[in-house]
Amino acid sequence: MDEELGLNEDDFNIPPVKYEYLDHTADVQLHAWGDTLKEAFEQCGMAMFAYMTEMDYVQIKEVHTIEANADDLMGLLYHFLDELLFLFSVEPFLICKKLVITEFNTQEFRIVCKCFGEEFQIGRHPQGTEVKAITYSAMQIIDVPKDNKYEVFVIIDI
Amino acid sequence: MDEELGLNEDDFNIPPVKYEYLDHTADVQLHAWGDTLKEAFEQCGMAMFAYMTEMDYVQIKEVHTIEANADDLMGLLYHFLDELLFLFSVEPFLICKKLVITEFNTQEFRIVCKCFGEEFQIGRHPQGTEVKAITYSAMQIIDVPKDNKYEVFVIIDI
């Protein structure tokens, strides 16, 4: 018995582990802005990619074009991000360094976007957080600009 | 213009960053079990501490005693974990290596527990995930044992 610490020999025996961790769920809110709504959308897409890896390690080596269509503006933002996520999740596994929306139609809710980047490669690119899904949860699109700033807020599941 | 890649010089210009990340929220479910409900509670407490750091780095250097009281069994589990979290969050900043419940009263819903461990020190102990709060969300206590196994499920905010 260690009188000073109040510990005896048996106190140092460690029981076996009988626990585990389940159902880790998480989300993060992306907040992006720009001088135009188009720029805010581009920045929001980049916010998502920058969450997946460190941008410093990503180079522009190829360009791909995506299209998104929807029935309203929030749907457009959702599908735009979802298309980007799809571009990353399957062939060409593109991690983007830059997004340039070449068609931004807020009447017919249609986006065409050039996506500049390279194939994601574990080892070359630090693995950030996996983005599991885009959500409509608490989505905000500020298209009447405050201080000449257009803004979007999107929560993504990670 | 690089014809092969379809990229021109301007495509390599990177826009400024106009985004940020807000409101990162997350939780994880602890699942612990034991030959007795008392053991399942002890294991659940250890599951929480093991989430905060790597147990291999923690030594038993001191012992502290906590008490938890409640009006029902779920309340007892909640307050037990909350007392342990408190032990970590303020003086003595104890990270536990072993928990021994010395009084486990499921009639009057009272726990007394000896907490063996040492002061958490950044640098010596790898920083795991901060536990922000215990929750009652989807809490389950299986006190009618299946296959002689008592189980508890607790979701903690991280």
Side-chain angles (χ1 to χ4, degrees), chain A residues 1-12, chain B residues 63 114:
Chain A
M1 177 93 179
D2 185 330
E3 291 291 342
E4 203 166 307
L5 298 171
L7 296 170
N8 62 43
E9 212 171 296
D10 188 50
D11 289 340
F12 292 92
Chain B
V63 56
K114 291 172 85 170

Side-chain angles (χ1 to χ4, degrees), chain A residues 22-150:
Chain A
L22 302 171
D23 293 338
H24 183 199
T25 64
D27 60 54
V28 63
Q29 189 175 37
L30 309 179
H31 175 212
W33 56 94
D35 297 337
T36 61
L37 191 58
K38 177 177 100 66
E39 187 187 13
F41 272 51
E42 289 166 346
Q43 290 282 343
C44 191
M46 283 313 303
M48 186 174 73
F49 283 110
Y51 208 72
M52 295 170 170
T53 191
E54 288 175 41
M55 268 303 132
D56 290 349
Y57 291 82
V58 182
Q59 293 181 325
I60 292 175
K61 293 185 179 171
E62 48 192 291
V63 56
H64 295 264
T65 300
I66 59 157
E67 293 182 20
N69 294 282
D71 296 321
D72 57 33
L73 201 55
M74 286 198 183
L76 190 59
L77 179 54
Y78 178 94
H79 286 292
F80 170 60
L81 295 174
D82 206 39
E83 285 295 325
L84 293 176
L85 187 56
F86 191 69
L87 202 60
F88 173 82
S89 304
V90 299
E91 187 81 44
F93 307 107
L94 194 77
I95 185 96
C96 290
K97 179 88 172 181
K98 179 161 88 162
L99 298 171
V100 177
I101 293 176
T102 54
E103 185 181 335
F104 189 70
N105 188 330
T106 55
Q107 305 302 310
E108 294 175 6
F109 307 111
R110 172 177 163 77
I111 282 176
V112 178
C113 180
K114 292 172 85 169
C115 308
F116 298 90
E118 65 174 318
E119 186 184 340
F120 183 81
Q121 291 181 310
I122 291 176
R124 263 181 38 74
H125 300 120
Q127 227 174 340
T129 304
E130 185 197 2
V131 175
K132 290 183 187 142
I134 318 302
T135 82
Y136 282 102
S137 171
M139 185 185 280
Q140 281 183 73
I141 298 177
I142 298 173
D143 56 352
V144 179
K146 300 171 185 162
D147 307 327
N148 297 315
K149 199 171 87 165
Y150 292 80

Side-chain angles (χ1 to χ4, degrees), chain B residues 43-62:
Chain B
Q43 289 282 344
C44 191
M46 283 313 302
M48 185 175 72
F49 283 110
Y51 209 72
M52 296 170 167
T53 191
E54 288 175 41
M55 268 305 131
D56 289 350
Y57 292 83
V58 181
Q59 294 181 325
I60 293 176
K61 293 185 179 171
E62 49 192 290

Side-chain angles (χ1 to χ4, degrees), chain A residues 13 16 20-21 31 47 98, chain B residues 13 20-22 31 43 47 98:
Chain A
N13 293 333
E20 63 184 355
Y21 304 106
H31 175 212
K98 179 161 88 162
Chain B
N13 292 332
E20 64 184 353
Y21 304 105
L22 302 170
H31 174 213
Q43 289 282 344
K98 179 163 89 163

